[in-house]
Each structure stands twice: as C-alpha cells, then as structure tokens.
C-alpha cells in the first residue's frame, strides 16, 4: 500500500521553503520544487510516497494552486515526481540515479588507513582476564555435546537480568543467544518476513539491516528522520497505519547513524500502533548502554508491549567488543523456541567459550561500560571541536549517546568525498549507505571510537580534500570495507 503524506505534514517538513528576497529571487514555484527535491535527497521524504493534491497543499502552504501546479510540473520534468491522472503523484528519482545499498562489504586490513567506516571500539582491558576466567569455567560443559541452540542458561539469565534492571519483567526462557545482533535480526526476519512482505524502516538506518531485508526480498518503505530533531511521531505512526507493514525495524536508543533518542511518549504510542496495525516491532537496542551524559534513559519499548508485538534485539559489539560475537533476542518464550528451531539450520549454536566470556564481562558491566562511556565522551568532544574548527560549513547535533556523529555537509558530496578521502588514507561511510536509492548525499556518519589524535588527523585530511571536489575527476574502483 502506498503511503500518502498530507498537506499539513508536507508543509511542516518544508519549513521555510520560500525563496529568499533579493535581486536573484527565484519564483515561488521553483523554490517549492527545490525544497521538495532537497527533502528527497536528504531522505526525509521517502520515495514512492503519494504527495497531497495540489489544492490541499496550496491551502496548507497559503499559496496559490498555480504555484503548486507549476512546482509539481517542474518536479515531473526533473524526474522527481511521477503522476497519473485520477490517481495522484508519487515521489521518484531521475532515471539512472538509483544506488543500491549492499550494506556489509568485505573487511579491509589496511593498517595505514584511518577507518571511520566502523562505529565500534577496541576491546576493553577486562576482556583478557574474562577470557582466562571463562577457560577455567569451560570444564563444566565439556561432558556434553556443546550444542545449546537457545544459549547457555547462565548467559540467558544474565541478559534477562539486564532487562529486569531496566524495568522489563523478563525470564531466561525469553532470551535467545545469537552470534551477534546481526544474526538476531536475520533470524527474526527469516521467521517473520516472507518474500515480498512490506516492512517499514527509518531513513537513514543501519546499512546491514537494509542488506538483511533485501536478502529476504522485503518491500521496504521508509520513514524519514530529521537530522536535528529525529522522529516526527505523527508521520511515523501515520506511515504504520497506512502501510500496515508485516514488520517495522527501529533504533530508538541513540539511533544509528543520527544519535537521536526516542521519547518515552513516542515509544508507548509506537507499541500501541504496532498492535493496532498487526505489525511486529523489531527494536534494535545495540547502543542502549552508551548514554554519554549520565542522563536517565526512557523505558525500553518492551515496557509498553501488551500483546507480544515487540521483539528486542541487542548484543555486546558496541558496549564491549565487536570481536565477541554475542547477541540476543528478547521475545515471548514460544517465539524464542521457534527462532531456536530456525537457528539450528543456520549454525546450530553460539560457541560455549565466547558465551562464558560474555557472562564474565556482563558481571563487570558497571566498570567496563563506565570506562567506555568516559572515553567515547572525550573523543566525541575532540571530533566535534575539530569539525567546528576545520569544517565550519558543516552542521551537526552533538549526540548525547552512541558512538557516531551525523554531519550535514555543505553540499550533496558525500560519496565523492568518501572517494577523495580514501586517497589520503581515510575510510568513510557516505550518507547513501544509510538509505535507499541514492539519497542522503548531504550527510556523512563520523564515528568517534578512535583515539583523539586519529580523529583530529582524519578531519584534517578530509578538510584538505574537500576543497578539490568541485574539480572534475575520474572515479576509480575501491577496495571494499566494513560499514558497522
């Protein structure tokens, strides 16, 4: 089902769209068409959305219908709108501008490269002692075959205890241990998303989630996040009601890549709307442990779940270490058993030793995460200060959690900048990687997980190549890398 945006909703997204007064003032219709193109390129207005009728939008904007009609005609001429008499007009992109999102690339091992494509930290100092202690625990399990499709009971209980501390009544039977958060998502999609099913995701969103959905041949609809304010609750819930997707994937805690934190009120309304539309809500909590300002966190979305519509996924990659492939699903006990049955056909079970290491680290969560938050906050501030000094034309909202900053650039140059930066030894994750169809070229995700001196040097190199982008250049093939 096609999503329709109402006149008032589009007017709110457009904001101050009028052409600025002055000698070279553009006609209002041209300014309106340019503003709509800007929303499309930034991903705030999804593709395939039916725009309001000309009369409705004219009333909402307090302009003449002639102005809206001319703007729509301009958008059709540039390939940003497709219209059919009696049926309406849908947002599109010009032919040839579609850029597929493949998500995960092969890993790169170039140690001379400053890699800002991965928003994950190095291992904590507690990892090696935890691994040695886990090896001492291992003999307790050597008498069995070692296959535990749902995970070791002691780790499941440790994860469940984490949910209980956050206010969600959870038993170990409601936890499935997986090989990382990505596998947790993959298993849920295998169970819940038959080929061709409609799903709703945020734009921008995590690239590897898009890759997993593409692998399931899902029909992906998007809801745009504002770079400054985050979710528009009315439009998010409206998109759920209109598309009635089989599944919706959201990242409410320090959203990847924007860093926004969803309010408690919207979480409650989201859970209620998902129930009303028959939508399974997959909540990615990968970043929940990384509040950097000591702020009180909103309740988990699962707190508001009254009908087993919410499936929470998380793991240890972001708060602890990506090399420890431990993730989990929190869901109803029957759903956990169904996921475990699917999991047996994938990889049987997670490694016992890694699970025991995870138990030891979770037991030291306060110490490990406290140190992690301190380092990330320091590095975030270094990155922000360096950007303001060397690239003052760029804008961003300082994230209060997570591990990355979502920068709005001074032009639609993200992919070109990533290519140029690689020539000077900096690997970037350009904005289009976090969206569909080539949008988000005005944005760039910049993690602050590396040491401060590396971040400063990376920004210095990026600034050095930024000013050469207006010159013609021939693109070349690049070594693939990880976006995480």
């Amino acid at each position: 089902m096609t999503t329709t945006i109402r006149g008032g909703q589009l007017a709110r997204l457009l904001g101050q769209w009028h052409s600025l007064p002055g000698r070279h003032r553009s006609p209002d219709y041209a300014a309106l068409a340019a503003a709509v193109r800007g929303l499309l390129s930034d991903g705030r207005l999804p593709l395939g959305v039916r725009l309001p009728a000309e009369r409705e939008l004219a009333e909402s904007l307090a302009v003449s219908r002639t102005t809206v009609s001319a703007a729509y005609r301009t958008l059709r001429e540039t390939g940003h709108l497709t219209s059919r008499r009696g049926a309406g007009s849908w947002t599109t992109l010009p032919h040839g501008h579609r850029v597929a999102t493949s998500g995960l690339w092969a890993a790169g091992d170039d140690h001379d490269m400053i890699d800002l494509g991965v928003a994950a930290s190095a291992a904590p100092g507690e990892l090696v002692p935890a691994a040695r202690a886990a090896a001492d625990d291992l003999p307790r399990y050597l008498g069995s075959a070692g296959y535990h499709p749902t995970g070791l009971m002691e780790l499941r209980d440790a994860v469940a205890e984490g949910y209980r501390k956050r206010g969600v009544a959870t038993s170990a039977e409601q936890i499935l241990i997986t090989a990382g958060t990505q596998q947790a998502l993959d298993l849920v999609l295998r169970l819940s998303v038959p080929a061709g099913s409609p799903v709703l995701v945020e734009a921008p969103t995590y690239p590897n989630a898009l890759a997993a959905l593409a692998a399931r041949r899902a029909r992906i609809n998007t809801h745009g996040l504002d770079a400054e304010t985050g979710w528009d609750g009315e439009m998010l819930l409206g998109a759920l009601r209109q598309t009635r997707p089989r599944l919706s994937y959201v990242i409410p805690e320090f959203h990847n890549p924007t860093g926004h934190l969803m309010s408690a009120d919207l979480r409650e309304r989201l859970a209620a709307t998902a129930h009303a539309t028959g939508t399974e809500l997959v909540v990615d909590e990968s970043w929940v442990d990384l509040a950097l300002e000591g702020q009180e966190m909103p309740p988990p979305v699962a707190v508001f779940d009254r009908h087993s519509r919410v499936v929470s996924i998380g793991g240890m990659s972001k708060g602890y270490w990506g090399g420890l492939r431990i993730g989990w699903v929190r869901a109803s006990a029957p759903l956990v058993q169904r996921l475990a049955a699917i999991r047996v056909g994938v990889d049987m079970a997670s490694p016992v030793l890694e699970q025991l290491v995870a138990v030891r680290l979770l037991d030291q969560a306060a110490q490990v995460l406290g140190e992690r938050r301190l380092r990330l906050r320091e590095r975030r501030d270094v990155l922000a200060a360096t950007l303001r000094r060397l690239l003052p034309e760029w804008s961003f909202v300082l994230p209060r959690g997570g591990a990355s900053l979502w920068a709005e650039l001074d032009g639609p140059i993200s992919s070109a900048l990533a290519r140029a930066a690689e020539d000077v030894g900096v690997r970037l994750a350009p904005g289009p990687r976090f969206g569909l169809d080539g949008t988000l070229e005005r944005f760039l995700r910049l993690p602050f997980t590396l040491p401060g001196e590396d971040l400063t040097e990376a920004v210095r190199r990026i600034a050095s190549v930024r000013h050469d982008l207006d010159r013609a250049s021939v693109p070349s093939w690049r070594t693939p890398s990880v976006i995480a």
Side-chain angles (χ1 to χ4, degrees), residues 107-311:
D109 294 318
D110 187 350
H111 297 292
D112 294 328
M113 186 76 65
I114 301 177
D115 193 349
L116 296 184
V118 176
S121 300
E126 293 84 355
L127 180 62
V128 171
R132 289 172 176 155
D136 293 336
D137 295 336
L138 188 58
R140 292 189 284 121
Y141 292 92
L142 298 182
S144 69
Y147 298 124
H148 303 270
T150 55
L152 299 184
M153 184 55 70
E154 57 185 302
L155 178 55
R156 297 170 71 192
D157 191 57
V159 173
E161 177 62 20
Y163 280 101
R164 292 192 289 267
K165 288 180 178 178
R166 294 170 59 205
V168 189
T170 304
S171 66
E173 288 72 22
Q174 290 178 266
I175 301 296
L176 172 75
I177 302 301
T178 63
T181 310
Q182 187 70 18
Q183 188 188 56
L185 175 61
D186 179 74
L187 292 174
V188 172
L189 296 182
R190 287 171 183 257
L191 179 63
S192 302
V193 182
S197 298
V199 299
L200 180 68
V201 302
E202 298 143 331
T205 191
Y206 181 46
N208 296 335
L210 292 174
L213 288 166
R216 300 305 305 162
R217 295 189 303 232
R219 289 191 291 114
I220 304 175
N221 299 298
T222 60
H223 161 258
L225 266 68
D226 184 274
E228 294 187 2
T229 60
W231 296 267
D232 183 317
E234 179 184 340
M235 294 190 66
L236 170 58
L237 303 182
L240 273 173
R241 296 186 188 104
Q242 290 185 45
T243 60
R244 305 183 76 86
R246 182 73 172 256
L247 178 145
S248 181
Y249 170 80
V250 295
I251 313 173
E253 280 90 19
F254 309 119
H255 175 267
N256 185 10
T258 68
H260 290 300
L261 181 65
M262 184 182 288
S263 68
D265 174 69
L266 182 54
R267 292 167 189 243
E268 183 173 12
R269 295 163 60 201
L270 180 61
T273 304
H275 169 62
T277 58
T279 300
E280 185 170 332
L281 199 58
V282 178
V283 180
D284 189 336
E285 299 179 320
S286 296
W287 305 94
V288 69
D289 293 323
L290 297 181
L292 303 183
E293 305 289 352
Q295 67 268 42
E296 183 178 352
M297 293 291 289
V301 177
V303 164
F304 306 107
D305 184 23
R306 304 289 183 268
H307 307 280
S308 297
R309 287 287 179 189
V310 175
V311 176

